[in-house]
């Protein structure tokens, strides 16, 4: 039986043992300069793992021979470290955004003489159930096409019944080992809105703020930017919280549809960014999602000291990005895109908090 080549194994997505990982990286043109064999072994065995480290290669071009241009293992290692620092900052900032938004919306509800803390839950359920019906109607049309083609209906198209928001939130905290079980015990029957907001996930908070602004509740104008951009921050927050790579495809990420939202244009209007560059680069979904985190943090965090600390963290991230700049070949086209994104990021971080 003929043994498989590394290329065959890669196509089949077979497992590579450590020696095969090293050989395949070299076959793909990835330079090992500056790292000893023992350092490479330690990198792939203890510091990180092959699958995660190699995701960052997507920021580089492949030549006609199927090899990466101007890419070294040290660059992949450096990008992985930078990404780790970025994830830490994202987690901190989005946690602070979530806390601040929950505090502010509960304050508005508390001060509203027309709210009793319970009727608003009924209104929120009406809002969510209508949205649920629209989603199910669209899924039904797609299911009919699947049935017509005699193929099994995928799980995401299967019919779902609507569950009231209070039931969904409280049920998630019904296990005696859950940290919020005490709240469940005392408040599971007819919980007030402030209980639900306390227990809401980040995504559920986003849905609630959308409802709150659309229904023009007390102080709703203050939440317009949050209701518009919180979904973008959620995507990046989820990736960071689950330790998934973020900048691995920074140069090939998709773009947001249409023009840059006016709220973002207003936020960036005092930053000196070339118009041609900004129209292209700022619509990069990864950069845009990170900018929404900076925007919401800047708008909804009222503690000067907290903002000061985060700005220090952001500046440390920028400094860390520069640390090994000499190992990068900026003549590479894809790296040039990376450089453009990075230069915009520096200007935005400098603008943050002003």
């Amino acid at each position: 039986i003929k043994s498989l080549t590394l290329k065959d194994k890669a196509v089949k997505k077979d497992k590579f043992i450590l020696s095969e990982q090293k050989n395949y990286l070299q076959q793909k043109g990835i330079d090992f300069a500056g790292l000893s064999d023992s350092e490479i072994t330690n990198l792939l065995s203890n510091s990180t793992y092959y699958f995660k480290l190699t995701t960052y290669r997507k920021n580089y071009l492949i030549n006609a021979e199927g090899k990466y241009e101007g890419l070294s293992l040290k660059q992949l290692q450096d990008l992985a470290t930078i990404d780790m620092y970025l994830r830490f900052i994202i987690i901190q900032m989005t946690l602070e955004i979530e806390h601040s938004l929950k505090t502010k919306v509960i304050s508005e509800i508390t001060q509203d003489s027309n709210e009793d803390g319970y009727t608003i839950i009924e209104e929120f359920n009406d809002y969510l159930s209508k949205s649920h019906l629209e989603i199910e109607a669209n899924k039904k049309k797609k299911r009919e096409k699947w049935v017509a083609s005699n193929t099994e209906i995928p799980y995401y198209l299967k019919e779902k019944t609507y569950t009231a928001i209070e039931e969904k939130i409280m049920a998630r905290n019904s296990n005696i080992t859950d940290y919020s079980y005490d709240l469940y015990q005392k408040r599971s029957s007819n919980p007030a809105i402030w209980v639900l907001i306390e227990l809401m996930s980040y995504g559920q908070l986003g849905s609630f703020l959308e409802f709150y602004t659309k229904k023009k509740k007390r102080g709703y104008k203050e939440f317009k930017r949050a209701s518009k951009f919180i979904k973008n921050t959620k995507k990046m927050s989820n990736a960071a919280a689950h330790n998934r790579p973020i900048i691995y495809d920074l140069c090939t990420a998709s773009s947001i549809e249409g023009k840059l939202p006016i709220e973002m244009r207003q936020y960036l209007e005092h930053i000196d960014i070339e118009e041609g560059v900004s129209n292209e680069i700022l619509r990069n979904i990864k950069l845009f999602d990170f900018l929404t985190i900076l925007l919401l943090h800047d708008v909804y965090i009222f503690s000067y000291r907290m903002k000061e600390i985060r700005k220090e963290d952001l500046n440390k991230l920028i400094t860390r990005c520069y640390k090994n700049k000499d190992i990068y070949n900026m003549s590479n086209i894809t790296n040039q895109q990376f450089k453009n994104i990075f230069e915009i990021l520096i200007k935005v971080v400098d603008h943050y908090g002003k």
Side-chain angles (χ1 to χ4, degrees):
I1 300 174
K2 185 179 179 182
S3 60
L4 294 175
T5 65
L6 290 180
K7 184 177 180 180
D8 292 333
K9 292 186 75 171
V11 170
K12 291 182 65 180
K13 296 180 172 59
D14 284 354
K15 182 183 78 171
F16 281 171
I17 61 173
L18 187 58
S19 60
E20 290 174 326
Q21 292 175 11
K22 295 178 186 178
N23 290 335
Y24 190 68
L25 287 171
Q26 289 184 310
Q27 283 186 20
K28 296 298 289 183
I30 298 173
D31 188 5
F32 286 4
L35 292 169
S36 67
D37 187 65
S38 61
E39 286 174 325
I40 296 169
T41 297
N42 184 61
L43 174 64
L44 294 173
S45 302
N46 300 316
S47 299
T48 185
Y49 45 93
Y50 176 86
F51 183 76
K52 190 167 194 172
L53 183 67
T54 56
T55 57
Y56 298 97
R57 75 192 187 283
K58 294 186 178 181
N59 287 306
Y60 293 80
L61 295 175
I62 298 178
N63 61 25
E65 298 175 352
K67 296 184 178 183
Y68 289 97
E69 303 227 349
L71 176 56
S72 70
L73 195 58
K74 289 195 78 170
Q75 290 173 23
L76 295 177
Q77 181 184 22
D78 193 54
L79 290 174
T81 303
I82 290 169
D83 207 19
M84 178 187 69
Y85 280 97
L86 175 62
R87 291 195 297 271
F88 289 164
I89 291 174
I90 289 168
I91 290 170
Q92 289 171 319
M93 296 185 85
T94 51
L95 282 174
E96 289 160 358
I97 290 168
E98 180 180 9
H99 173 74
S100 185
L101 287 172
K102 285 185 174 182
T103 300
K104 186 169 178 59
V105 76
I106 287 175
S107 176
E108 293 292 348
I109 292 169
T110 302
Q111 295 177 64
D112 190 344
S113 59
N114 295 317
E115 293 290 357
D116 61 5
Y118 297 91
T119 306
I120 194 171
I121 298 174
E122 295 176 15
E123 294 178 65
F124 188 32
N125 269 315
D126 287 342
Y127 174 82
L128 291 176
S129 62
K130 287 177 182 176
S131 175
H132 177 81
L133 287 173
E134 291 175 5
I135 292 170
E136 288 301 315
N138 289 329
K139 284 164 63 175
K140 184 179 179 182
K141 292 178 183 177
K142 292 178 181 179
R143 280 199 302 272
E144 289 170 352
K145 291 181 180 179
W146 279 90
V147 171
S149 61
N150 295 316
T151 56
E152 185 179 353
I153 298 172
Y155 75 93
Y156 57 86
L157 288 182
K158 290 182 179 178
E159 189 175 359
K160 292 182 180 179
T161 56
Y162 177 73
T163 303
I165 189 65
E166 66 272 22
E167 292 177 25
K168 188 180 293 185
I169 291 175
M170 298 312 290
R172 196 173 59 227
N173 298 277
S174 61
N175 193 302
I176 194 169
T177 61
D178 192 273
Y179 285 9
S180 298
Y181 183 68
D182 181 64
L183 262 181
Y184 171 78
Q185 274 190 310
K186 297 174 180 177
R187 313 275 184 164
S188 60
S189 177
N190 194 29
I193 188 61
W194 43 87
V195 174
L196 295 188
I197 291 175
E198 169 64 18
L199 297 175
M200 277 179 184
S201 67
Y202 198 52
Q204 287 168 336
L205 175 63
S207 296
F208 182 74
L209 292 178
E210 284 181 6
F211 151 77
Y212 196 88
T213 54
K214 286 181 179 179
K215 296 300 180 181
K216 298 185 177 181
K217 296 290 184 178
R218 187 185 193 277
Y220 75 94
K221 290 182 180 179
E222 296 296 318
F223 298 100
K224 279 189 172 182
R225 279 173 289 196
S227 67
K228 185 163 189 173
F229 295 126
I230 198 167
K231 286 182 179 178
N232 297 89
T233 68
K234 174 180 173 287
K235 288 187 295 180
M236 190 160 273
S237 174
N238 282 347
H242 293 285
N243 206 31
R244 294 197 297 267
I246 291 174
I247 62 172
Y248 73 95
D249 63 345
L250 191 59
C251 299
T252 57
S254 59
S255 299
I256 62 170
E257 296 181 1
K259 293 182 179 179
L260 206 64
I262 186 169
E263 296 88 349
M264 185 60 75
R265 294 203 302 271
Q266 290 171 342
Y267 182 63
L268 301 175
E269 65 183 353
H270 300 298
I271 302 175
D272 181 25
I273 303 173
E274 291 182 44
E275 188 173 347
V277 173
S278 64
N279 287 337
E280 176 187 355
I281 301 297
L282 288 174
R283 290 175 62 249
N284 176 295
I285 193 66
K286 293 286 183 75
L287 178 60
F288 181 80
D289 287 351
F290 185 63
L291 292 181
T292 62
I293 292 174
L294 293 182
L295 187 156
L296 295 190
H297 199 275
D298 211 352
V299 170
Y300 294 106
I301 302 303
F302 305 107
S303 166
Y304 172 77
R305 180 55 186 154
M306 190 178 289
K307 281 187 175 181
E308 192 175 52
I309 291 170
R310 292 298 158 253
K311 179 129 186 181
E312 290 171 4
D313 291 339
L314 288 164
N315 283 325
K316 285 178 183 176
L317 174 65
I318 298 298
T319 301
R320 178 58 188 81
C321 291
Y322 274 120
K323 181 181 177 181
N324 297 317
K325 64 179 181 179
D326 293 339
I327 68 174
Y328 294 92
N329 174 19
M330 285 305 173
S331 64
N332 182 291
I333 296 174
T334 311
N335 269 337
Q336 185 58 47
Q337 288 179 291
F338 207 99
K339 185 179 178 183
N340 290 340
I341 291 171
F342 182 63
E343 287 176 348
I344 289 176
L345 183 60
I346 292 173
K347 292 178 180 180
V348 175
V349 168
D350 182 64
H351 174 69
Y352 169 82
K354 291 184 177 179

